[in-house]
Amino acid sequence: MAMTMKMVLKILTFQKMAKKDKIVLVGGGGHALSLLEVLRDPKAVRGYIALEASPSLTLEWLGDDEAARGLRDDSLFHIAFVYSGLPVMALRRKIIEKYETMGARFASIIAPTAIVTRNARIADGCAVMNGAIVNRAHIGRHVVVNTGAIVEHDCEIGSNTFIGPGAVMGGAVKIGSDCFIGLGSRIKNGVTIAPGITVGMGAVVTDDLREPGIYHGNPLKFHSLKKIKK
């Protein structure tokens, strides 16, 4: 039976969380603002890290990435950064690796309106946003399941993958690490998507995707990243 999150904030982490620990958001853009809508409790967040202060965030700007070293002992970090350029998820991966190297601990944030079933597994550093459903699926580290997305039974989502708003994964879909699944896309049950692939907004995927690149449309069309970069 599915369990709707009743708490205003729920933090999941594989590390023991001390009472003094607070969340530090890494990033000051639109995704950070969306996370604040989920968190709602300003006492749960210490501030945010970014290259410069954001005019949109009311949180305290704590400095750039170097400031994180002085915060790691009593803070849980969350990578609140999604980059829309090409290659889509490579820059976010570099940020994650930088923080992992410095020994950072990570918090997963689950919206109060998300549905996460009792046999779902969500690793550390993830975000499951408002109205999303995770049904007995395995979600890897630092995955974003955005607003209204559905990840059905027995799906496996690799680390640092972004599932866009309203995207639907049928049962037993396997998505590799560092993928970007665009807004409103549909992925047929049993499909496998290799690491590093981008599925465009509204795309319909009915067969396995093995070659790195961008897939979009219905019927699906393929564009090589190598050709796009030239």
Side-chain angles (χ1 to χ4, degrees):
M1 181 177 178
M3 298 183 292
T4 303
M5 298 302 154
K6 301 295 185 181
M7 301 170 62
V8 173
L9 166 67
K10 183 173 182 179
I11 300 172
L12 302 177
T13 178
F14 291 132
Q15 307 258 358
K16 186 175 180 180
M17 179 181 175
K19 290 183 179 180
K20 65 180 180 179
D21 289 340
K22 288 192 175 184
I23 296 173
V24 173
L25 300 180
V26 181
H31 187 55
L33 287 167
S34 295
L35 286 166
L36 289 179
E37 291 294 309
V38 169
L39 288 166
R40 296 182 185 173
D41 179 11
K43 295 180 181 179
V45 184
R46 169 169 287 175
Y48 70 99
I49 286 174
L51 294 178
E52 58 186 19
S54 168
S56 302
L57 287 176
T58 57
L59 294 173
E60 180 183 358
W61 177 51
L62 302 171
D64 60 15
D65 291 329
E66 289 304 311
R69 299 184 185 278
L71 299 168
R72 59 189 172 183
D73 290 339
D74 59 356
S75 298
L76 295 170
F77 294 88
H78 185 92
I79 308 300
F81 174 87
V82 178
Y83 180 64
S84 59
L86 294 174
V88 175
M89 300 303 285
L91 182 55
R92 191 172 191 265
R93 168 65 68 183
K94 290 180 180 179
I95 294 172
I96 290 168
E97 290 175 349
K98 178 186 289 188
Y99 277 75
E100 288 176 340
T101 299
M102 73 172 67
R105 297 170 299 137
F106 299 97
S108 281
I109 298 171
I110 298 179
T113 59
I115 297 175
V116 178
T117 64
R118 58 192 173 92
N119 288 315
R121 292 183 292 164
I122 298 179
D124 53 331
C126 293
V128 183
M129 305 301 284
N130 282 318
I133 300 173
V134 179
N135 177 27
R136 206 181 74 210
H138 181 198
I139 308 298
R141 303 181 75 223
H142 305 290
V143 167
V144 177
V145 183
N146 220 321
T147 307
I150 299 174
V151 183
E152 263 299 345
H153 64 87
D154 303 305
C155 286
E156 297 179 12
I157 311 298
S159 64
N160 187 41
T161 282
F162 178 90
I163 308 296
V168 178
M169 322 286 105
V173 167
K174 292 180 173 56
I175 299 178
S177 59
D178 306 320
C179 289
F180 187 98
I181 309 300
L183 183 152
S185 57
R186 300 289 187 266
I187 301 177
K188 183 181 176 182
N189 55 295
V191 162
T192 295
I193 296 177
I197 283 175
T198 293
V199 175
M201 179 179 66
V204 176
V205 182
T206 58
D207 295 301
D208 293 352
L209 304 181
R210 301 291 186 181
E211 185 176 355
I214 297 175
Y215 296 79
H216 67 93
N218 181 22
L220 206 63
K221 297 179 181 179
F222 169 73
H223 290 283
S224 170
L225 282 177
K226 292 181 180 179
K227 291 182 180 179
I228 291 171
K229 289 178 183 178
K230 289 181 180 180

